[in-house]
Amino acid sequence: MQFGRTTLSKFVIEQTRGQHSEMGALLIDVAAAVKTISALVGKGALSGFSGALDSTNVQGEVQKKLDVLTNEAILRHCEWGGQLAGMASEEMDEPYRIPDQYPRGRYLLIFDPLDGSSNSDVNVSVGTIFSILQRSEAGEAEPGDFLQSGHQQIAAGYAIYGPATMLVLSVGNGTHGFTLDRESGNFQLTHPDIKVPEDTREFAINTSNERFWEPPVQRYVDECKAGKTGVRSADFNMRWIASMVAEVHRILMRGGIFMYPKDNKDPAKPGRLRLMYEANPMAMLITQAGGVASTGRERILDVPPETLHQRVPVLLGSKSEVERVERYHQEYD
Ligand code: F6P
Ligand code: MN
């Protein structure tokens, strides 16, 4: 055991001193929720909560017991402290009202409580993604208050529940990783100021959708697959975990490009991933780590949100590769 490491509490208190000190307290509550979720998912089948429910969420996706339970964990851990004006989540159609018995603050917490939850029954990494915005003053949030572009995020982060539980956070001053020490219960700063390598030879995309992609994405992936004998003159490697959190984590650790592009499988859906609680927080973390996050046609953080649960194409990771796919989109358009 090492003494003197920076704990998450120390880090957020130092980083938010002054302007956003109340957000520091909120982040500590978020971290408490994450520890609860980590303990829950870490029990696997022993928790008795594996499997699906009869309900669907606003996206029409079947809810798992763990989706609902982890959503509750975050609401209960974060509603009481007086920092929040409201919360919104992938698992709730409408924003959550802070109960009347609690004071209200000016921050807005938006989250995906259990991302990649199709993986939770097969013991593969899952995660929690969150984004913090603010309204002009303390009080009860209106639904429209949540519709702010990613540039306006004050903080963003995710927890990954893998062999180790980690919390990766940005408060607008770099991207930093903390590892949960299960014995002491502390998150310890183990990965300060993460930087995504600019170049990569590793891509991640669900190729079963290949026939539905737009030509610029087809071109990029074809060139990767052609390897040394193609125009890229280099062999590429592919990974697909089907947990965005795990995919983004790998990219923060060693580079890569992750794509869930627009496809024409269901023309009503302009992508698979949700802007407010998946794409925006991940875009902040990747951008703060020197990477790029794009829809192919604009930067994710510039996308003006229209609805809470809107979907968006996502291409993110190592700068040179994401910029290349952006260029292929420009050439195609
Ligand atoms: O929340 C959406 C999500 O589970 C992501 O975590 C993941 O990247 C993606 O969906 C997996 O999609 P698919 O089922 O098409 O592989
Ligand atoms: Mn998700």
Side-chain angles (χ1 to χ4, degrees):
M1 181 155 309
Q2 242 182 306
F3 300 118
R5 273 197 193 270
T6 302
T7 62
L8 179 72
S9 311
K10 179 175 179 219
F11 179 89
V12 297
I13 289 166
E14 281 177 357
Q15 293 274 323
T16 60
R17 203 169 264 150
Q19 211 193 349
H20 286 294
S21 55
E22 281 175 37
M23 187 181 66
L26 172 60
L27 285 169
I28 290 166
D29 282 341
V30 171
V34 159
K35 287 184 209 175
T36 300
I37 296 172
S38 172
L40 184 66
V41 299
K43 288 190 197 302
L46 298 175
S47 75
F49 295 119
S50 41
L53 293 168
D54 292 335
S55 54
T56 53
N57 67 13
V58 66
Q59 327 282 327
E61 296 162 342
V62 174
Q63 284 181 309
K64 300 237 162 177
K65 287 177 197 157
L66 281 173
D67 286 324
V68 173
L69 221 57
T70 53
N71 190 65
E72 285 291 314
I74 298 179
L75 296 179
R76 294 294 89 75
H77 274 284
C78 299
E79 66 187 352
W80 63 277
Q83 303 93 15
L84 283 174
M87 288 187 256
S89 146
E90 172 173 338
E91 303 304 334
M92 301 182 295
D93 301 6
E94 303 296 333
Y96 177 79
R97 228 183 132 251
I98 302 298
D100 288 335
Q101 71 262 35
Y102 302 125
R104 299 205 173 94
R106 68 186 157 113
Y107 294 101
L108 304 162
L109 179 65
I110 316 181
F111 55 92
D112 176 356
L114 200 61
D115 176 64
S117 60
S118 71
N119 279 327
S120 60
D121 290 344
V122 293
N123 201 8
V124 168
S125 296
V126 288
T128 297
I129 312 172
F130 63 92
S131 162
I132 297 178
L133 295 163
Q134 66 179 333
R135 71 199 292 271
S136 51
E137 55 191 42
E140 184 172 338
E142 308 278 334
D145 292 340
F146 291 89
L147 303 181
Q148 303 182 33
S149 78
H151 278 301
Q152 288 167 281
Q153 293 174 105
I154 319 286
Y158 65 79
I160 178 167
Y161 313 109
T165 289
M166 286 187 68
L167 198 144
V168 176
L169 175 71
S170 179
V171 292
N173 184 16
T175 295
H176 310 277
F178 301 80
T179 304
L180 180 63
D181 177 343
R182 294 186 208 267
E183 286 162 26
S184 68
N186 289 323
F187 273 111
Q188 311 270 26
L189 180 62
T190 47
H191 296 70
D193 210 11
I194 298 168
K195 291 289 170 227
V196 181
E198 252 189 52
D199 297 304
T200 180
R201 294 288 175 259
E202 199 160 67
F203 68 101
I205 192 163
N206 181 347
T207 50
S208 70
N209 295 323
E210 183 156 11
R211 68 188 187 283
F212 304 110
W213 299 336
E214 290 191 287
V217 174
Q218 301 226 3
R219 173 183 170 192
Y220 177 77
V221 173
D222 282 347
E223 290 177 2
C224 291
K225 290 196 295 187
K228 273 204 172 100
T229 54
V231 293
R232 299 297 307 271
S233 310
D235 286 337
F236 281 72
N237 195 13
M238 201 202 84
R239 289 285 181 272
W240 188 251
I241 305 172
S243 264
M244 186 197 198
V245 166
E247 234 88 57
V248 169
H249 192 68
R250 182 186 64 248
I251 289 170
L252 284 170
M253 294 296 112
R254 68 175 189 211
I257 175 168
F258 166 88
M259 293 170 279
Y260 217 118
K262 179 171 174 251
D263 63 42
N264 60 16
K265 198 177 192 173
D266 177 354
K269 290 182 185 164
R272 163 97 162 85
L273 300 171
R274 277 56 57 108
L275 176 64
M276 301 303 291
Y277 39 81
E278 293 178 321
N280 270 344
M282 292 311 203
M284 178 170 180
L285 294 165
I286 288 283
T287 306
Q288 287 284 326
V292 176
S294 172
T295 66
R297 296 187 165 87
E298 67 184 317
R299 295 294 162 99
I300 300 272
L301 297 176
D302 292 332
V303 175
E306 285 162 15
T307 61
L308 189 56
H309 298 285
Q310 95 187 50
R311 296 178 191 257
V312 69
V314 175
L315 319 168
L316 59 77
S318 293
K319 187 169 184 281
S320 58
E321 293 300 304
V322 180
E323 286 179 350
R324 175 182 284 267
V325 193
E326 288 183 320
R327 198 170 74 238
Y328 289 2
H329 280 81
Q330 273 167 19
E331 287 173 15
Y332 170 71
D333 289 345

